[in-house]
Amino acid sequence: MSEEPVDLLRRESRSLVQRLRLWAPARWAASAEPYGTRADLVRHLAQSLADAAALLEGEPLRDLPRLDDLGVADQLAVTSDDLVRAAPPDDLARAATAHLLAHRSDLLDEDVPPGLAGALGLQDVVSAGKTICEESGRTPLGRT
């Protein structure tokens, strides 16, 4: 039985967070243009997930507090869990997962496994995730 899109989001965000929690300060400080550092890239991803959850819950968009670099993995964990608990519709869960996986590829320089791309129904998850990211701006995951 295939996983639901929200379950894929939960699993993939937890997997990424577990790996990020092992990073040393130098790794967080490495460049990740156009965001600045890798920590800034994770901040961007956490903000996008927080914005999507806020919209689903009918709450206003709010800037996340700026945590030190070693705290951003935890911030990503919290915002991802918040979005999962908000029970996003399948299209939003797929978009959030593609966005997360595109940035995971940036952060870890790893390809997305073909089975995961198939489970999301996307041929090229990284390209889809980057398109979602570019279109989103402050409006999370392409929502208006």
Side-chain angles (χ1 to χ4, degrees):
M1 183 174 178
S2 64
E3 286 182 272
E4 295 294 321
V6 72
D7 296 326
L8 292 170
L9 173 60
R10 178 186 298 112
R11 185 187 76 203
E12 293 306 316
S13 63
R14 286 180 178 171
S15 173
L16 177 59
V17 166
Q18 286 176 342
R19 294 179 71 184
L20 295 177
R21 284 180 173 150
L22 301 174
W23 281 14
R27 198 156 185 199
W28 283 111
S31 179
E33 294 304 324
Y35 300 95
T37 66
R38 288 177 174 169
D40 294 327
L41 173 55
V42 175
R43 285 182 186 98
H44 153 78
L45 186 54
Q47 184 68 61
S48 178
L49 296 173
D51 289 349
L55 283 179
L56 282 174
E57 295 169 347
E59 297 292 328
L61 301 183
R62 295 185 179 97
D63 289 336
L64 292 174
R66 185 173 172 85
L67 301 180
D68 67 33
D69 291 357
L70 296 178
V72 296
D74 292 333
Q75 193 170 46
L76 180 61
V78 169
T79 58
S80 175
D81 285 347
D82 286 348
L83 179 55
V84 166
R85 278 195 288 278
D90 287 353
D91 64 329
L92 179 56
R94 279 189 194 92
T97 305
H99 188 196
L100 180 119
L101 292 172
H103 289 315
R104 181 182 82 176
S105 178
D106 294 336
L107 293 163
L108 304 176
D109 196 30
E110 294 177 351
D111 292 333
V112 174
L116 182 53
L120 287 170
L122 300 169
Q123 292 285 27
D124 186 343
V125 174
V126 172
S127 290
K130 291 197 184 282
T131 298
I132 289 163
C133 184
E134 290 168 5
E135 291 174 352
S136 68
R138 178 63 190 213
T139 305
L141 305 173
R143 300 281 189 190
T144 56

